[in-house]
């Protein structure tokens, strides 16, 4: 019997007799025996992982608390795209700390994701309103990567040139991310003063990028500059501050084609760099090439409005090497928080906050000027630059002594960026620091009248209705109730690893020492963070068998990019720039070829055999064909088909023999930890999805963390940053990416220990094989190892019964909603199939409940195939069934209401009701609506039709 504080027994779903029953069902006496058969002997680890002993939940929290006690939490007036903000308590408790929001999956199944989709539509509406542009996406990863994505978007529509102008007044980290992205694509980055740059004289110019307000605080009118850029046929991009846009003219109104930025200061903690929701808005003409996700409004099967992901043909698994972006996720949880900040405060509340910030900045500037201190920032919103000849270091040190951080801008200048948390007392202390006193009221204006905002924003009802905590609380609850998350039932998504995100892992996120640090504070103020991150890097290196790990990539897509970039830079360092061919199995996730193209590689496909494995003969043929130019192989292990390929070592050796490097996609690490490793199989680099294997929750489609581990030869080519020893290869805005949520994975590893992590992997394999065994008599299991086993996931084939019945895999997915489940991964990697991954944290009872649902659905399909049920009017074609449809006065179906809503007895105890019927995807794409103008208006229009 394990102690009640032993975390392993809480994390693993099946223990004791239940585990024994499952093992017996598949013919094994122990987990070790199963693992011995499932994982090829040639790749098994020959030793146990060397990690700290597992800690109980209280002990792990105490350990982490002691580490973070080394941090110094000061007020940071550094700015540079990161600001202090007040997280409204109702949002903190009911979104950030609420598993109903943070454990949900990406809203691919729209009918059970209406709450998140509405919140994201609010986000898009907020962004379009503030930027004055036509369309916004549902968030990007951060401001720097959003700017780089804007560059790619501009380039896609301007094949004539390969030069982009980036103002030297942009945030430095943004400039560096753009440089990193530009180099492999052969794009020249021209930097300088926008006031003296002449677009017409720059050969090949396809875009210009400016900061609004500038990183030094200046508010400039870019209208004339953008006119010149347009005359030169360049796309105009503005990186803007959302809070400033409540008072300043919208970028769309002075000629911006694209606007990007961060929504961090809308109620999202700084978290030492992340996670935060970047944003992008653009003109209507660019919307179909915009990266990321777009939420739109369609209608459901009963003609009522329903939200959905729109324009899904842009998803990388379809566009693959033709994609201009590898982004396949977003920062949903953070975008939801930012949107709700706007909902809670409304336009007037936001303007009040902005006016107060600006007033205090004006008081500070006027007081310093009155005291003879030079403030060269003439027009500003919240940030001023102060001239202090030769005294910058001295003043920054004096500020720290008073509990403040200022931004050093060389030896002669400092920057001071005020924010929502700044008090009048803070302003007085800042004045005192510069030898001044607060001198009366502020001047009336801090920018020219031509730049004052005249247009309304956030006029929609949702932004003008929920300003009391009571109403806001109920609105959030209504939205949460429309979503199916892990707090409701199992989400058995293959390759997505929706496992327990334990409460103890989440608690540190709300600690001030974790949430309140600016990413660019002096190193001695972030000792706790640096120790935690260093420990995590070391643990992940041990788990993966690599020499070093970088935590900078803030999503799996960024990890892919950073890993391939490291390989590219490695070949360049050896004088082998010509190595540019990347071999990728045709079964790979679409982000793989998209990432390869983004680092300037040529993608060459490799066939898979009838069992889903890499066709080694075809691989060798492709190696021979491209030997002189071979850069890398991208491989997922276990395979995309859920099988431990026996030939993986042979494959890696063949690539190395030809001078290439092996990149392993870490999406399936949940089947490796403690049993094998990327380093053991021969990989040179691997990205890890910490939001999969290592328990960071998916948050409805983000945040994610995608660090990379590398072999010794690639260590010098890990991502750098201005705040790190290595400066080159910056892939996102902050040096450690989404630093704050790494505490979740740290807690997971600390509480599981080496033995617990290994047991978790074994349980993931047991659960998958148990489900495959139960379902194989009804749906064929498509791919298995020669011994009949799968890895941590399995693919069941719906196609044979679909051919007999006419019921599609999508019909099955929608019918699962009536049973209270999210569908497994649908039609990938094989069309017409379902890929199931149960994870280690689901109980036998939950696994059986899902299997019972699938077996019942098999019976419903057979009824159609046998002619017992109508081919068109049946339980599956009409799924999902809403409470509205079941309770309607009209019921014209041959089956009963009870069969529709309560097909199995457990649903009588608790029933999750989809809030809309099946959403019409075709209608949504043909009638693209991406803002909430207003939801009530959509409902009225639908009723009128």
């Amino acid at each position: 019997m394990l102690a009640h504080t032993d975390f392993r027994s809480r994390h693993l779903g099946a223990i004791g007799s239940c585990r024994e029953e499952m093992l017996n069902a598949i013919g094994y006496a122990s987990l070790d025996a199963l693992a011995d058969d499932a994982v090829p002997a040639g790749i098994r680890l020959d030793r146990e992982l060397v990690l700290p002993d597992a800690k109980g939940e209280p002990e792990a929290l105490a350990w982490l608390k002691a580490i973070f006690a080394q941090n110094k939490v000061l007020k940071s007036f550094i700015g540079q795209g990161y600001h202090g903000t007040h997280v409204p308590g109702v949002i903190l408790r009911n979104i950030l700390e609420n598993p109903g929001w943070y454990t949900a999956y990406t809203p691919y199944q729209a009918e059970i994701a209406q709450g998140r989709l509405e919140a994201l539509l609010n986000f898009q509406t907020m962004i379009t309103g503030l930027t004055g542009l036509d369309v916004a996406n549902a968030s990007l990863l951060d401001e720097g990567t959003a700017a780089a994505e804007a560059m790619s978007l501009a380039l896609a529509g301007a094949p004539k040139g390969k030069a982009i102008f980036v103002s030297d007044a942009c945030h430095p980290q943004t400039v560096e991310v753009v440089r990193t992205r530009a180099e492999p694509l052969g794009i020249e980055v021209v930097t300088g003063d926008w006031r003296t740059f002449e677009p017409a004289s720059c050969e090949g110019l396809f875009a210009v990028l400016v900061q609004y307000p500038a990183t030094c605080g200046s508010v400039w009118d870019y209208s004339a500059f953008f006119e010149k850029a347009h005359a030169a046929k360049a796309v105009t991009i503005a990186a803007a501050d959302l809070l400033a846009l409540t008072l300043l003219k919208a970028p769309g109104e002075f000629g911006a084609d694209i606007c990007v930025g961060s929504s961090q200061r809308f109620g999202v903690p700084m978290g030492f760099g992340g996670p935060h929701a970047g944003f992008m808005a653009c003109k209507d003409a660019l919307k179909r090439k915009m990266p990321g996700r777009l939420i739109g409004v369609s209608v459901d099967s009963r003609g009522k409005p329903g939200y959905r992901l729109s324009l899904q043909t842009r998803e990388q698994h379809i566009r693959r090497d033709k994609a201009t972006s590898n982004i396949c996720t977003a920062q949903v949880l953070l975008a939801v928080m930012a949107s709700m900040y706007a909902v809670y405060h409304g336009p007037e509340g936001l303007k009040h906050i902005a006016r107060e910030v600006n007033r205090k900045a004006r008081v500070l500037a006027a007081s310093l000027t009155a005291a003879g201190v030079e403030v060269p920032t003439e027009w500003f919103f919240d940030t001023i630059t102060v001239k202090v000849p030769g005294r910058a270091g001295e003043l920054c040190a004096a500020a720290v002594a008073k509990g403040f951080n200022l931004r050093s801008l060389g030896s002669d200048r400092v920057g001071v960026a005020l924010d929502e948390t700044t008090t009048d007392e803070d302003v007085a202390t800042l004045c005192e620091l510069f030898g001044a006193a607060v001198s009366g009221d502020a001047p009336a204006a801090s920018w020219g009248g031509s730049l004052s905002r005249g247009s309304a924003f956030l006029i929609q009802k949702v932004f003008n209705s929920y300003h009391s905590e009571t109403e806001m609380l109920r609105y959030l609850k209504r939205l949460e109730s429309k979503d199916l998350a892990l707090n409701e039932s199992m989400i058995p998504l293959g390759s997505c690893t929706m496992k327990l995100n334990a409460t103890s892992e989440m608690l540190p996120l709300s600690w001030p020492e974790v949430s309140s640090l600016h990413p660019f504070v002096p190193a001695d103020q972030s000792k706790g963070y640096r120790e935690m991150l260093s420990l995590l890097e070391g643990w992940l290196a041990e788990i993966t068998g690599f020499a070093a790990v970088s935590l900078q990539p803030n999503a799996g897509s960024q990890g892919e990019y950073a890993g391939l970039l490291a390989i590219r830079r490695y070949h360049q360092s050896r004088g082998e720039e010509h190595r540019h061919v990347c071999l990728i199995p045709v079964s790979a996730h679409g982000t793989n070829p998209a990432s390869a193209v983004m680092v300037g590689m040529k993608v060459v496909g490799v066939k898979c055999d009838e069992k889903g494995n890499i066709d080694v003969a075809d691989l060798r043929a492709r190696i021979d064909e491209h030997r002189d130019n071979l850069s890398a192989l991208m491989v997922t292990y276990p395979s995309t088909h859920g099988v431990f390929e026996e030939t993986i070592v042979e494959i890696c050796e063949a690539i190395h023999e030809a001078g290439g490097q092996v990149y392993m996609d870490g999406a399936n690490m949940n089947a490796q930890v403690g049993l094998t490793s990327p380093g053991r199989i021969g990989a040179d680099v691997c990205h890890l999805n910490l939001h999969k294997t290592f328990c960071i929750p998916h948050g409805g489609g983000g945040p994610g963390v995608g660090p990379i581990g590398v072999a010794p030869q690639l260590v010098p080519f890990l991502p750098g940053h201005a705040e790190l020893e290595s400066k080159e290869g910056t892939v996102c805005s902050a040096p450690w990416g989404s630093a704050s949520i790494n505490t979740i994975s740290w807690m997971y590893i600390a509480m599981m220990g080496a033995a617990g992590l290994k047991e978790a992997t074994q349980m993931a394999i047991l659960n998958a094989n148990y489900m495959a065994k139960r379902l194989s008599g009804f749906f064929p299991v498509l791919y298995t190892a020669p011994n009949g086993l799968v890895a941590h996931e399995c693919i069941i084939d719906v196609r044979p019964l679909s051919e007999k019945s006419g019921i599609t895999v999508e019909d099955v997915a929608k019918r699962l909603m009536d049973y209270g489940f999210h569908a497994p991964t649908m039609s990938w990697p094989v069309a017409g199939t379902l890929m199931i991954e149960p994870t280690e944290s689901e109980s036998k009872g939950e696994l059986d409940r899902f299997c019972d649902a699938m077996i019942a659905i098999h019976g419903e399909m057979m009824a159609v195939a046998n002619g017992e049920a109508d081919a068109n009017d049946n339980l599956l074609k009409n799924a999902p069934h809403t409470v509205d449809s079941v309770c309607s006065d009209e019921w014209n179906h041959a089956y009963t209401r009870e069969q529709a809503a309560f097909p199995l007895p457990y649903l009588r105890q608790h029933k999750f009701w989809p809030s809309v019927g099946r959403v019409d995807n075709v209608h949504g794409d043909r009638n693209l609506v991406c803002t909430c103008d207003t939801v009530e208006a959509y409902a009225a229009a639908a009723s009128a039709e």
Side-chain angles (χ1 to χ4, degrees):
M1 180 68 181
L2 296 171
H4 72 279
T5 57
D6 182 275
F7 175 73
R8 191 179 2 165
S9 65
R10 309 296 190 182
H11 178 78
L12 301 176
I15 58 176
S17 60
C18 288
R19 183 181 299 183
E20 293 176 6
E21 291 174 20
M22 293 167 64
L23 284 164
N24 290 336
I26 62 172
Y28 283 89
S30 68
L31 285 177
D32 287 338
L34 171 62
D36 286 343
D37 274 6
V39 184
I43 63 168
R44 287 293 298 270
L45 295 178
D46 56 6
R47 63 175 179 82
E48 298 297 318
L49 295 175
V50 179
L51 296 170
D53 291 339
K55 301 288 190 295
E57 296 181 53
E59 291 78 17
L61 285 166
W63 182 15
L64 189 61
K65 191 76 172 177
I67 291 173
F68 271 95
Q70 299 174 83
N71 285 347
K72 299 175 184 176
V73 184
L74 278 62
K75 276 200 170 182
S76 288
F77 298 106
I78 299 171
Q80 204 171 322
Y82 300 92
H83 302 270
T85 183
H86 292 306
V87 186
V90 67
I91 293 175
L92 177 70
R93 176 61 57 89
N94 294 287
I95 296 179
L96 181 62
E97 298 177 346
N98 182 353
W101 286 96
Y102 66 68
T103 70
Y105 180 59
T106 304
Y108 288 122
Q109 295 291 344
E111 295 82 1
I112 51 176
Q114 289 294 295
R116 264 168 295 136
L117 288 166
E118 180 170 332
L120 291 174
L121 198 73
N122 292 345
F123 179 82
Q124 292 176 179
T125 305
M126 175 185 80
I127 298 301
T128 56
L130 287 169
T131 61
L133 287 163
D134 301 315
V135 183
N137 65 18
S139 77
L140 290 171
L141 300 175
D142 62 18
E143 182 166 350
T145 54
E149 293 289 344
M151 174 183 69
S152 296
L153 175 59
L155 181 64
K160 68 178 183 66
K162 278 293 185 82
I164 181 172
F165 171 77
V166 180
S167 167
D168 58 10
C170 290
H171 295 316
Q173 70 272 17
T174 298
V175 178
E176 290 310 307
V177 174
V178 170
R179 285 189 193 278
T180 298
R181 287 282 196 94
E183 187 274 331
L185 300 177
I187 297 172
E188 179 187 6
V189 178
V190 179
T191 58
D193 189 334
W194 69 273
R195 292 167 293 188
T196 57
F197 176 76
E198 290 297 333
S201 65
C202 182
E203 184 178 353
L205 184 72
F206 70 88
V208 298
L209 169 64
V210 299
Q211 192 85 41
Y212 180 69
T215 191
C216 60
S218 294
V219 174
W220 288 313
D221 187 345
Y222 295 112
S223 300
F225 177 65
F226 277 9
E227 285 181 10
K228 291 180 180 179
H230 283 146
K233 301 194 181 305
V235 175
T236 54
I237 309 167
D241 181 293
L242 284 184
L243 191 63
L245 296 185
T246 65
L247 303 181
L248 294 174
K249 180 181 286 188
E253 295 173 352
F254 59 72
D257 299 310
I258 305 171
C259 183
V260 297
S262 170
S263 60
Q264 177 267 314
R265 71 188 309 178
F266 272 31
V268 180
M270 287 184 286
F272 201 46
H276 310 132
F279 67 82
M280 176 185 287
C282 66
K283 289 188 173 179
D284 187 75
L286 296 172
K287 69 185 178 188
R288 292 184 181 268
K289 294 182 179 179
M290 187 164 54
R293 296 195 174 124
L294 195 66
I295 310 304
V297 181
S298 186
V299 294
D300 74 357
S301 55
R302 292 169 62 83
K304 297 191 174 182
Y307 307 112
R308 59 181 286 273
L309 287 172
S310 297
L311 301 180
Q312 292 189 54
T313 54
R314 296 170 307 161
E315 290 292 332
Q316 280 65 42
H317 66 269
I318 297 173
R319 295 185 67 177
R320 299 178 69 80
D321 58 328
K322 300 297 190 297
T324 56
S325 168
N326 71 344
I327 295 293
C328 68
T329 185
Q331 295 280 35
V332 170
L333 187 69
L334 300 315
V336 169
M337 289 181 67
S339 74
M340 292 307 170
Y341 180 90
V343 168
Y344 195 42
H345 289 299
E348 293 306 315
L350 293 177
K351 284 189 283 188
H352 174 75
I353 293 168
R355 289 190 188 109
E356 275 297 290
V357 172
N358 179 247
R359 178 186 67 80
K360 289 163 187 166
R362 285 184 280 123
V363 168
L364 176 62
S367 300
L368 297 185
T369 300
V373 180
E374 187 176 354
V375 180
T377 320
E378 181 182 4
W379 291 353
F380 55 86
F381 167 61
D382 63 359
T383 301
I384 60 172
T385 300
V386 185
K387 277 196 175 181
V388 288
R391 298 179 57 223
E394 170 195 337
L395 280 164
C396 286
V400 168
K402 292 182 178 294
F404 297 159
N405 287 312
L406 305 181
R407 181 183 179 187
S408 176
L409 297 167
S411 61
D412 299 325
R413 297 185 305 149
V414 296
V416 187
L418 308 189
D419 57 48
E420 179 188 8
T421 69
T422 305
T423 65
D424 287 326
E425 290 74 19
D426 293 335
V427 174
T429 304
L430 287 167
C431 287
E432 180 184 333
L433 182 69
F434 288 97
V438 175
S439 57
D441 294 330
S446 54
W447 56 79
S450 64
L451 284 177
S452 291
R453 181 155 197 143
S455 58
F457 60 92
L458 307 189
I459 59 173
Q460 296 79 10
K461 184 177 180 180
V462 70
F463 297 108
N464 295 277
S465 300
Y466 306 111
H467 305 324
S468 74
E469 182 167 339
T470 304
E471 288 303 315
M472 187 67 180
L473 179 68
R474 290 169 182 163
Y475 178 57
L476 294 177
K477 180 61 179 177
R478 285 197 296 273
L479 295 190
E480 179 195 344
S481 298
K482 295 179 179 181
D483 284 11
L484 190 148
L486 275 178
N487 64 338
E488 175 70 36
S489 67
M490 171 187 186
I491 302 180
L493 287 151
S495 195
C496 290
T497 315
M498 298 290 293
K499 64 168 69 175
L500 171 69
N501 315 120
T503 305
S504 289
E505 295 159 7
M506 303 297 294
L507 290 174
L509 286 178
S510 297
W511 296 348
E513 314 93 284
V514 174
S515 65
S516 299
L517 261 68
H518 191 288
F520 304 146
V521 297
D524 66 343
Q525 293 179 25
S526 59
K527 287 181 178 178
Y529 249 119
R530 290 167 187 260
E531 180 177 338
M532 182 276 292
L533 294 167
S534 178
L535 283 170
L536 181 59
E537 287 172 350
W539 295 347
L540 293 174
E542 168 67 10
I543 289 167
T544 57
F546 282 131
V549 167
S550 168
L551 292 167
Q552 186 178 127
N554 54 3
S557 59
Q558 302 306 99
E560 287 186 23
Y561 180 81
L564 291 175
L565 189 65
I567 291 173
R568 171 188 167 84
R569 293 171 65 200
Y570 166 74
H571 288 312
Q572 288 176 329
S573 74
R574 293 160 54 88
E576 296 186 314
E577 293 89 347
H578 58 278
R579 289 193 173 272
H580 69 287
V581 171
C582 186
L583 304 181
I584 302 179
V586 295
S587 63
H589 193 283
T591 57
N592 286 183
S595 296
V597 169
M598 287 172 61
V599 298
M601 293 182 180
K602 175 185 176 183
V603 174
V604 174
V606 177
K607 295 177 183 177
C608 291
D609 63 22
E610 69 279 359
K611 295 182 179 180
N613 300 319
I614 293 175
D615 185 326
V616 177
D618 188 65
L619 173 70
R620 290 190 177 278
R622 300 289 78 73
I623 291 173
D624 290 342
E625 182 182 354
H626 300 284
R627 178 174 294 270
D628 293 342
N629 296 316
L630 180 62
S631 177
L633 166 74
M634 296 187 79
V635 60
T636 300
Y637 199 76
S639 74
T640 306
H641 298 91
V643 176
F644 285 101
E645 294 184 58
E646 302 275 355
T647 57
I648 188 64
V649 174
E650 176 189 348
I651 287 169
C652 293
E653 289 175 347
I655 296 296
H656 290 149
E657 186 274 330
Q661 299 282 286
V662 176
Y663 169 95
M664 197 199 92
D665 187 313
N668 292 341
M669 270 299 294
N670 213 45
Q672 289 196 42
V673 178
L675 299 180
T676 183
S677 71
R680 177 67 182 84
I681 70 171
D684 300 290
V685 58
C686 169
H687 92 265
L688 302 172
N689 298 97
L690 297 195
H691 50 289
K692 294 183 180 181
T693 303
F694 296 96
C695 288
I696 292 175
H698 282 61
V705 177
I708 56 170
V710 295
Q713 74 275 14
L714 296 180
V715 171
F717 309 106
L718 287 171
H721 195 280
E723 299 292 316
L724 300 174
E725 184 176 342
S726 172
K727 310 299 181 188
E728 296 181 4
T730 306
V731 297
C732 75
S733 293
W736 284 278
S738 295
S740 64
I741 56 174
N742 283 299
T743 55
I744 300 169
S745 298
W746 190 98
M747 283 289 295
Y748 173 64
I749 296 172
M751 292 188 295
M752 291 293 279
L757 292 173
K758 178 180 177 181
E759 187 178 347
T761 305
Q762 292 174 321
M763 282 304 304
I765 294 171
L766 170 60
N767 287 356
N769 280 281
Y770 174 75
M771 293 185 76
K773 179 78 171 180
R774 275 211 67 189
L775 293 175
S776 61
F778 302 89
F779 299 96
V781 176
L782 200 54
Y783 301 106
T784 64
N787 58 13
L789 294 174
V790 297
H792 66 308
E793 60 191 7
C794 64
I795 299 176
I796 63 171
D797 196 352
V798 181
R799 293 173 299 180
L801 198 47
S802 291
E803 292 174 5
K804 295 178 183 178
S805 65
I807 301 299
T808 67
V809 70
E810 182 179 12
D811 297 329
V812 174
K814 303 307 179 186
R815 180 57 173 157
L816 271 169
M817 298 175 190
D818 289 332
Y819 287 83
F821 285 106
H822 192 295
T825 302
M826 185 177 70
S827 289
W828 187 83
V830 181
T833 67
L834 293 171
M835 182 162 63
I836 302 171
E837 181 179 354
T839 83
E840 72 274 13
S841 58
E842 296 297 343
S843 68
K844 179 179 181 296
E846 187 71 355
L847 302 184
D848 284 335
R849 194 165 71 91
F850 179 83
C851 289
D852 290 344
M854 285 302 301
I855 292 167
I857 287 173
H858 175 272
E860 294 170 353
M861 295 178 74
M862 287 299 298
V864 178
N866 296 335
E868 298 169 16
D870 188 273
N872 297 307
D873 180 29
N874 57 64
L875 289 161
L876 294 111
K877 290 292 184 184
N878 294 330
H881 296 83
T882 63
V883 66
D884 183 47
S885 66
V886 172
C887 294
S888 172
D889 290 340
E890 293 184 11
W891 185 261
N892 300 317
H893 306 300
Y895 55 90
T896 67
R897 299 172 196 258
E898 183 173 18
Q899 289 174 307
F902 301 103
L904 287 177
Y906 69 79
L907 294 163
R908 293 282 184 185
Q909 299 173 10
H910 174 70
K911 169 76 176 176
F912 176 85
W913 291 95
S915 58
V916 296
R918 194 175 305 195
V919 176
D920 188 332
N921 292 325
V922 174
H923 181 277
D925 277 347
R926 287 178 177 171
N927 304 276
L928 193 62
V929 178
C930 303
T931 56
C932 53
D933 299 320
T934 62
V935 174
E936 291 77 10
Y938 302 140
S943 297
E945 292 176 4

